[in-house]
Amino acid sequence: MAAATGRTLPGGGCTGAYALKRRAAAWLLAVAWLAAGCPGRPAAELEEVPHPDLSAAESAVREQVAVQRETVDELLAAEPADAAAAAAALAELGRVYLLYDFPQAAEACFTNAARLAPDEADWQYLLAYITTLQGRPEEGRALYRRALELRPGFQPALLRLGRVELELGQYDAARGRFEAALAADPEAAAAHEGLGKLAAAAGDPAAAAVHFERALELAPRADSLRYALGQTYRDLGRTEEARRELAASGDVAVPIVDPLISPLGTLAESAQFYLVQGGEALEDGDYERAVAAYGAALERDAASFVAIKGLAYALEKLGDLDGAVATLERGLAEADSGEAERGERAEILRVLGGLEALRGRDAAAAERFAASLALDADQPDARMKLANSLSRLGRFGEALPLYDRLLEEKPEHAADILLRRATALVNLGRGDEALADFRRAVELRPDDRPLRLRYADALAHLGRAAEAARQRRLAGGGGDAEVLLRTARQQRDAGRYQQALDGFTAVLDQAPERHDVRFERAQLLGHLGRYAGAVADFRRVIEAEPRHAAARHGETTALILLERYGEARVRLNEALRIFSLDARLAHLQARLLATVPEAPVRDGRLALEVARRLLEVDDGVRVRETFALALAESGRTAEAAELQRRLVSDAESRGDRELAADLRAKLETLDSGRAWWASGPQEILDATLPDDR
């Protein structure tokens, strides 16, 4: 929750004695004025608002609090005073205190706001919130009820009051709150959660499961639900599902969309505040929230090393590798131009190298790793990654001394290092040394079947067939699957696809839990045009690994090729909830919604919204065309035609006749006042492939 970080903010400084005396005088004047009564306004006795010790806070925080207190003081001391304006200013000051985790000062502010404006529902609600937060549910219940009297049907109050009544054992009252909230918004996850808890308490696990499942569908990151769902499955005798949910449970609560509490984070002026929020978001697996928090921290401190790393990591998790790299490069520029520690620059370079390797750019990765090690040589992990990148580039002679040093630095990983060193030696034609390394690795891990099979492969490669056969026998039962897998991959790489498919299937018959193999089979099935089989395999991979981005891409592509457009739309929605910054998935969604041949699947409004957001990060010609086609599907064909006409002109000016002809064909449809729809799946997919124009 943004309002209570529970952490101390760094900084220094104080407010000044004169300012404190001035504020104290203003408060005394206000109390006296209100106690005496004011024409047209009720008398009210205000509590003294404690002034928290901000000496440890950042200067921006101290200034923010000082300015808001000054506003309150001036409004209370004004002649004549405006009680409503003073109440609003007090509530705002309370929200600032709540933001920085000063609950007692916040409560005093909300109490005074509620006394000055007793008919304002928002101040009653905020006071109820802080009262409950401080462990006084009975008081909170009364205040929430008062807020609802003043503002009937206010959903956050219904949900929070329902939670309080549930905690107090007032089940019938709580049920009424949750049902009212659900009637107003059928997608209120917190209402489903509350009704699920009530059903469980009433001994109806079947009804509880329905509500918990729906709540989890609406709030997939709220892994605290998985504990409740797991307990419910256990009560229903669904043991395997219970075990799975309980293992995945955590402490991320179901959120409540709250216009008074949720925006608190936007008030913060503290970079440290946003760093804390970003860290908590990463712990919760909420990478979108982490991106927002770290981005806000960088707006306040562009050289924040923690924010740079956190933002890059969150972007990577959301599938935006380009954004992660750009963030780190900006951070590196800040570090090089400022006074950043060598260690910080070295770490940025190391992380950049890892991202480049992930993108398959080993030359760039090796350059980054080498630069990182030049700044800080005491990085065995960076050395290992550099050696591996060099090996993948075929630069085995450069990799070898790195592996030699790693054997000294990381003796606990000697078997893995020896395996990689042996592979480099084989490629350098130093067979005897390679086999010696393989033997040492196998001695260290005699039960490691894949390692022994790699040894067998090296022996066979060097013409020592009898020894290779012996090592394969020693590998035992699991070795058969490994041999089959290597053979299948060799067949695939050689273009013998059916034999490869048979091999992958044989491996999965022996080891159905090998989702990496299932993914490879799905890709091969797609290559062979057997899309239904590919969809089934991709789905099983996703069920086992929901964050498998490539499987998500493969599944939606295969569904579109099967013309199962409605299902493709659903799967794209699921994928983008996890990979919200994946530009290719977003483009595919926008294109599908704007141009799919099946009318029930099209949604011009949503396509336009997605395409508009996509243009902020990718203004390629195909994305701009998708935006035009979404305009047409939304009924704005004249605007669509004008944009498409500019795209045609641009393509012609660059001499790209093929592209210009394709764009012009769609323009003819738009000029006639009609939306353009794809004639089949390939027209949807071709337009969403990476485009460098």
Side-chain angles (χ1 to χ4, degrees):
M1 180 178 62
T5 65
R7 292 168 169 84
T8 301
L9 304 176
C14 58
T15 356
Y18 174 76
L20 286 174
K21 289 178 181 177
R22 186 174 182 277
R23 292 190 186 101
W27 280 100
L28 290 172
L29 283 170
V31 171
W33 176 83
L34 289 163
C38 175
R41 295 184 178 87
E45 184 177 344
L46 299 189
E47 290 186 5
E48 182 179 353
V49 177
H51 186 55
D53 180 8
L54 301 178
S55 60
E58 295 170 68
S59 59
V61 174
R62 296 197 302 274
E63 181 179 355
Q64 183 182 13
V65 172
V67 167
Q68 190 59 36
R69 282 189 70 104
E70 191 81 19
T71 300
V72 169
D73 293 347
E74 289 173 358
L75 286 167
L76 288 173
E79 292 287 352
D82 185 338
L90 276 162
E92 190 67 9
L93 177 60
R95 281 154 53 88
V96 171
Y97 281 140
L98 185 58
L99 172 72
Y100 294 123
D101 197 21
F102 296 114
Q104 292 173 335
E107 183 176 354
C109 288
F110 295 146
T111 298
N112 289 339
R115 288 176 182 175
L116 285 170
D119 294 330
E120 174 54 61
D122 287 358
W123 313 153
Q124 300 289 337
Y125 175 81
L126 287 169
L127 182 56
Y129 177 83
I130 191 67
T131 300
T132 306
L133 194 67
Q134 296 198 92
R136 307 199 308 272
E138 290 284 5
E139 292 179 48
R141 178 176 183 267
L143 289 162
Y144 278 132
R145 293 180 69 176
R146 173 61 179 156
L148 282 168
E149 288 173 7
L150 295 168
R151 188 175 175 182
F154 183 44
Q155 191 186 61
L158 285 169
L159 292 169
R160 295 195 191 280
L161 177 55
R163 285 180 173 179
V164 169
E165 290 171 335
L166 180 61
E167 177 188 345
L168 294 171
Q170 299 167 354
Y171 295 152
D172 289 340
R175 182 175 291 103
R177 311 298 180 191
F178 292 133
E179 288 175 348
L182 204 59
D185 179 9
E187 295 194 346
H192 281 291
E193 177 197 33
L195 290 170
K197 288 181 176 180
L198 288 167
D204 188 353
V210 171
H211 283 296
F212 288 141
E213 287 167 350
R214 180 59 177 148
L216 191 58
E217 181 183 343
L218 293 167
R221 293 192 180 94
D223 53 16
S224 61
L225 282 166
R226 295 190 180 277
Y227 181 80
L229 184 57
Q231 296 279 28
T232 303
Y233 282 157
R234 190 172 62 185
D235 292 342
L236 290 169
R238 296 159 64 175
T239 308
E240 187 57 38
E241 292 169 277
R243 186 180 297 113
R244 182 190 67 209
E245 295 299 331
L246 290 170
S249 66
D251 57 5
V252 180
V254 178
I256 292 176
V257 178
D258 191 330
L260 295 177
I261 302 298
S262 299
L264 277 175
T266 62
L267 301 175
E269 294 297 335
S270 162
Q272 178 66 21
F273 171 84
Y274 288 109
L275 293 179
V276 170
Q277 297 300 301
E280 291 176 349
L282 288 184
E283 289 178 10
D284 295 345
D286 189 344
Y287 300 114
E288 289 180 340
R289 184 160 60 92
V291 166
Y294 285 125
L298 285 171
E299 288 176 7
R300 288 153 180 81
D301 181 2
S304 171
F305 179 59
V306 174
I308 290 164
K309 285 201 309 176
L311 178 57
Y313 179 77
L315 288 168
E316 178 193 347
K317 287 295 185 182
L318 288 168
D320 186 4
L321 294 184
D322 290 342
V325 168
T327 297
L328 290 167
E329 287 177 339
R330 286 197 302 272
L332 189 62
E334 287 282 348
D336 287 341
S337 63
E339 298 180 359
E341 297 286 338
R342 286 170 62 91
E344 291 182 1
R345 293 199 296 273
E347 187 168 353
I348 292 175
L349 284 162
R350 178 177 58 77
V351 178
L352 268 171
L355 289 173
E356 296 289 17
L358 195 59
R359 296 200 295 180
R361 300 173 54 179
D362 279 306
E367 182 180 340
R368 298 294 194 180
F369 290 135
S372 178
L373 287 164
L375 288 169
D376 179 6
D378 188 20
Q379 296 186 85
D381 288 340
R383 202 174 339 277
M384 175 69 87
K385 290 174 180 177
L386 173 57
N388 294 343
S389 289
L390 291 170
S391 292
R392 286 192 294 270
L393 290 166
R395 294 159 62 180
F396 300 107
E398 296 173 66
L400 200 58
L402 296 172
Y403 289 131
D404 290 341
R405 180 167 174 180
L406 283 162
L407 284 171
E408 299 174 4
E409 293 177 319
K410 305 183 74 170
E412 69 277 14
H413 298 295
D416 291 321
I417 299 167
L418 285 165
L419 171 61
R420 296 179 184 278
R421 185 176 184 276
T423 303
L425 287 165
V426 168
N427 283 279
L428 289 169
R430 295 160 62 176
D432 290 341
E433 294 174 75
L435 294 179
D437 277 358
F438 274 120
R439 280 193 295 273
R440 287 173 60 197
V442 168
E443 287 169 3
L444 288 168
R445 292 214 302 250
D447 296 326
D448 188 329
R449 294 188 180 98
L451 173 58
R452 194 176 288 275
L453 287 166
R454 290 283 296 276
Y455 180 26
D457 286 345
L459 286 164
H461 176 75
L462 294 169
R464 299 165 72 161
E467 293 175 68
R470 178 176 177 276
Q471 290 301 323
R472 289 194 176 112
R473 286 195 300 274
L474 289 171
D480 292 341
E482 294 297 332
V483 172
L484 284 169
L485 180 56
R486 285 199 305 281
T487 303
R489 287 170 174 164
Q490 290 167 359
Q491 299 276 23
R492 177 196 59 198
D493 295 344
R496 295 188 285 273
Y497 299 125
Q498 187 56 53
Q499 295 94 318
L501 186 60
D502 293 341
F504 287 132
T505 301
V507 173
L508 289 169
D509 287 342
Q510 292 188 28
E513 75 286 354
R514 288 290 301 270
H515 302 298
D516 57 330
V517 178
R518 193 173 301 281
F519 175 72
E520 290 185 77
R521 187 175 74 170
Q523 288 183 307
L524 185 55
L525 285 166
H527 182 77
L528 293 170
R530 294 160 66 172
Y531 303 123
V535 166
D537 270 354
F538 282 132
R539 175 78 339 222
R540 287 190 62 180
V541 172
I542 291 166
E543 287 170 354
E545 302 177 42
R547 297 197 64 82
H548 198 305
R552 297 274 186 183
H553 279 283
E555 181 189 35
T556 52
T557 299
L559 285 168
I560 290 171
L561 287 166
L562 285 167
E563 300 185 31
R564 288 159 58 179
Y565 298 123
E567 192 176 348
R569 175 176 173 171
V570 170
R571 297 305 185 197
L572 277 167
N573 288 342
E574 290 177 1
L576 282 161
R577 277 200 292 269
I578 297 174
F579 300 104
S580 61
L581 299 182
D582 190 310
R584 186 180 165 200
L585 281 173
H587 192 190
L588 187 56
Q589 182 188 43
R591 195 80 176 195
L592 182 77
L593 293 170
T595 69
V596 65
E598 293 181 2
V601 181
R602 289 197 299 274
D603 186 335
R605 181 195 59 78
L606 182 55
L608 192 58
E609 180 184 332
V610 175
R612 183 178 286 112
R613 289 201 306 267
L614 187 59
L615 277 171
E616 295 174 3
V617 296
D618 182 356
D619 64 348
V621 62
R622 288 302 187 185
V623 173
R624 284 182 286 159
E625 180 190 53
T626 297
F627 182 73
L629 299 178
L631 282 170
E633 181 59 25
S634 301
R636 296 159 63 179
T637 51
E639 295 174 67
E642 180 57 32
L643 175 54
Q644 191 76 358
R645 191 170 290 108
R646 291 200 298 271
L647 294 176
V648 171
S649 177
D650 289 347
E652 288 176 340
S653 67
R654 292 197 305 270
D656 194 334
R657 296 179 180 177
E658 182 180 352
L659 175 62
D662 181 63
L663 296 168
R664 194 180 299 107
K666 297 185 182 73
L667 177 59
E668 292 175 5
T669 302
L670 301 179
D671 273 335
S672 69
R674 294 180 292 114
W676 181 89
W677 303 324
S679 60
Q682 206 60 54
E683 283 191 322
I684 297 172
L685 293 171
D686 286 349
T688 60
L689 294 174
D691 188 284
D692 296 326
R693 285 177 285 218

